[in-house]
Amino acid sequence: QVQLVESGGGLVQAGESLRLSCAASPRTGSPYIMGWFRQASGKEREFVANIRWSSSVTIYGDSVKGRFTISKDNAKRTMYLQMNSLRPEDTAVYYCASVITRPIYGVSFYLQPREYDYWGQGTQVTVSS
């Protein structure tokens, strides 16, 4: 059973930066994809970014492209989200998630929450104006 734990959230002013971490356990084997989602109060979960573990190929949501950077540490089985130039509209609970098994059939960019197998508990990011 995979466990994911997010950390690094907090309260910042607009224009500042935060770095989120997502640690996975046990630290054996490798996921297919790990990603970040966020959910603002009263809204649906929104795709932020994901990374293919083997190749490090990344995808970013339009709202964060150019400001956020996703990365990983293979040995620590940890994923990071560097969040720069934060805006009030970035305020949300940020969740990390993982996809364990590569599909045999079909093609997916893994932009939807339903496509992920495991989820962390979330970490709050609040950006004041």
Side-chain angles (χ1 to χ4, degrees):
Q1 187 75 25
V2 176
Q3 293 182 323
L4 304 175
V5 180
E6 303 97 333
S7 62
L11 173 64
V12 298
Q13 294 182 336
E16 296 182 340
S17 299
L18 281 174
R19 188 193 191 207
L20 306 183
S21 299
C22 175
S25 63
R27 292 187 292 178
T28 57
S30 299
Y32 173 45
I33 284 176
M34 294 189 70
W36 291 95
F37 289 79
R38 65 186 184 185
Q39 187 165 17
S41 180
K43 296 184 178 180
E44 296 181 350
R45 276 177 292 176
E46 176 189 16
F47 173 76
V48 176
N50 65 28
I51 183 167
R52 187 171 298 216
W53 204 260
S54 61
S55 66
S56 296
V57 171
T58 59
I59 298 175
Y60 293 92
D62 290 340
S63 62
V64 306
K65 195 173 299 181
R67 299 188 296 121
F68 292 7
T69 303
I70 190 172
S71 62
K72 62 181 176 66
D73 184 315
N74 293 344
K76 296 181 178 180
R77 185 71 86 82
T78 300
M79 177 180 63
Y80 306 95
L81 185 68
Q82 179 66 44
M83 309 164 65
N84 297 329
S85 301
L86 284 163
R87 306 165 180 169
E89 52 263 41
D90 294 319
T91 295
V93 177
Y94 283 71
Y95 298 92
C96 70
S98 67
V99 178
I100 301 300
T101 303
R102 180 176 183 174
I104 299 175
Y105 302 105
V107 177
S108 177
F109 296 109
Y110 290 91
L111 308 180
Q112 300 298 322
R114 65 178 180 271
E115 298 177 285
Y116 289 76
D117 301 311
Y118 296 96
W119 292 84
Q121 83 288 352
T123 185
Q124 177 71 46
V125 173
T126 303
V127 184
S128 62
S129 60

